[in-house]
Amino acid sequence: MSSFAPYPADGALSRRGKLGWALILVSFVLILILSAVPSPYVIEQPGPVYDTLGSNEAVGGGEPRPLIDIPDARTYDSTGELNLLTVSVVGNPENLPHWLDVATAWFTPSKAVVPVESVYPPNVSTEDRNQENRILMVNSQRDAVAAALTELGYEVPRTLSVESVIDGSPATGVLEEGDSITTVGGDPVVDLAHLRERIAANGASAPLEFGLLRQGTAMTLSVTPEERNGTPAIGVLIATEYTFPFDVEIELDDVGGPSAGMMFALGIMEKLTPEQLTGGEVIAGTGTIDAQGTVGPIGGIRQKLFGAERAGADFFLAPSANCDEVVGNVPDGLEVFAVATLDDALAALGAIAADSGYSGLPRCTAPSQN
């Protein structure tokens, strides 16, 4: 006698079918909800990539316009690329990403999900934020020119001036637009980084003395910093004014912040150097820079690594201070070197150009386990 499994009763089939359709319906409703309900996050992803030796347009399109132009000095062509990276932010306080977008970004290696307040602080207006980013970009370009020309042996005198005073800040009614800051706490101001360090060291509980020139008149005034996003600040936007031996024009539209400083400096040096610093290679990188050539950390390093890989870069210069974020997030085929100064970056370019091996160059490595 043959055996067989009996068919389930019609009622069981009906119940199972109804349960399956119910689950599908619930899933569909959840997807609709996730697609419609805004989250308290924004999404960071790789942004446009620009070759500092090439055009103002992003890599891959647009009419060529020199990103760096030095009309009054002899310049040299390069067959390589020195790419600066950007990060695009999806969403803002008025138009937040939906939960489904956030969930998708969470599992995408090239993207990051961050609280909206970390990008758009609630106590800072969009206008103030955009203005601050514009000034940071302008300052980073000036610092890059100063660092590059200083490295090449030029003398570059500098002054710090108040670009604007934020309404309601500690500096309101004390400092004025156009003031040139000469001393802080009784000591000569070296550069913008030095000024920030002195304000941070002073803290938010005691007045800090500033020496300045206002329309040619020397004076001394005091401002008590206040905490802003965890850092003592006086509420002014500072521009660094340099006296350069010749004009260096940098034209980059719709990009803010200081993170392109190191790549600007390298691009300027490549244009002013007869030998190709790049050796014809495609090299990307990021990092702030000051007039002394110190390379500082930036945000969005993971997105920039993927942006570099997508733009066809073979090498990446990363600030040493960002190494903890670099480890474990390097796309396949991308060689990453850690740099803390402009000299470190030039040493990396020298090894890349000579194709002499990279064993002696600093790398980002995981911290040792104790």
Side-chain angles (χ1 to χ4, degrees), residues 3 12 20 104 118 245 306 354:
S3 62
T104 302
S118 67
F306 281 92

Side-chain angles (χ1 to χ4, degrees), residues 4 18 21 113 121 158 220 234 238 247 288 311 345 366:
F4 62 90
K18 289 178 179 178
W21 281 108
V113 176
R158 70 206 66 175
T220 302
I234 62 173
I238 300 294
D247 288 338
T288 65

Side-chain angles (χ1 to χ4, degrees), residues 174-176 178-180 212-219 221:
V174 184
L175 300 181
E176 297 180 0
D179 286 347
S180 294
L212 52 92
L213 285 174
R214 178 175 296 168
Q215 297 180 354
T217 301
M219 58 183 66
L221 301 171

Side-chain angles (χ1 to χ4, degrees), residues 276-281 283 315 347-356 358:
Q276 289 197 51
L277 300 180
T278 63
E281 301 287 350
I283 302 164
F315 306 93
L349 293 188
I352 293 169
D355 194 20
S356 58
Y358 319 119

Side-chain angles (χ1 to χ4, degrees), residues 130-356:
N130 290 339
Q131 183 182 19
E132 183 171 4
N133 278 332
R134 284 193 296 269
I135 292 173
L136 287 172
M137 171 57 83
V138 171
N139 280 340
S140 77
Q141 294 174 0
R142 293 170 178 167
D143 289 343
V145 177
L149 296 187
T150 299
E151 183 74 24
L152 292 172
Y154 294 95
E155 291 289 332
V156 183
R158 70 206 66 175
T159 58
L160 299 183
S161 62
V162 176
E163 186 83 4
S164 65
V165 179
I166 298 173
D167 290 339
S169 69
T172 301
V174 184
L175 300 181
E176 297 180 0
E177 182 179 333
D179 286 347
S180 294
I181 299 176
T182 56
T183 66
V184 56
D187 296 327
V189 172
V190 177
D191 55 25
L192 185 56
H194 173 242
L195 177 63
R196 289 172 176 160
E197 289 170 3
R198 290 302 303 270
I199 294 173
N202 182 83
S205 59
L208 181 61
E209 185 179 87
F210 293 87
L212 52 92
L213 285 174
R214 178 175 296 168
Q215 297 180 354
T217 301
M219 58 183 66
T220 302
L221 301 171
S222 293
V223 179
T224 301
E226 66 179 7
E227 291 286 333
R228 182 185 178 192
N229 299 324
T231 302
I234 62 173
V236 296
L237 300 178
I238 300 294
T240 306
E241 303 289 344
Y242 295 100
T243 303
F244 296 125
F246 45 80
D247 288 338
V248 178
E249 300 169 1
I250 300 176
E251 184 181 355
L252 183 59
D253 300 330
D254 301 324
V255 176
S259 65
M262 178 185 70
M263 297 309 291
F264 283 141
L266 292 174
I268 293 164
M269 294 190 69
E270 175 77 317
K271 282 180 171 282
L272 292 172
T273 303
E275 302 81 15
Q276 289 197 51
L277 300 180
T278 63
E281 301 287 350
V282 179
I283 302 164
T286 186
T288 65
I289 200 164
D290 63 22
Q292 283 70 47
T294 302
V295 175
I298 51 84
I301 186 75
R302 181 156 53 94
Q303 289 69 53
K304 292 178 179 180
L305 286 163
F306 281 92
E309 183 262 343
R310 292 176 184 178
D314 300 306
F315 306 93
F316 190 97
L317 307 180
S320 298
N322 284 116
C323 273
D324 58 338
E325 301 170 81
V326 170
V327 174
N329 292 307
V330 179
D332 291 340
L334 191 64
E335 293 271 5
V336 179
F337 306 110
V339 298
T341 65
L342 183 57
D343 284 340
D344 291 343
L346 291 169
L349 293 188
I352 293 169
D355 194 20
S356 58

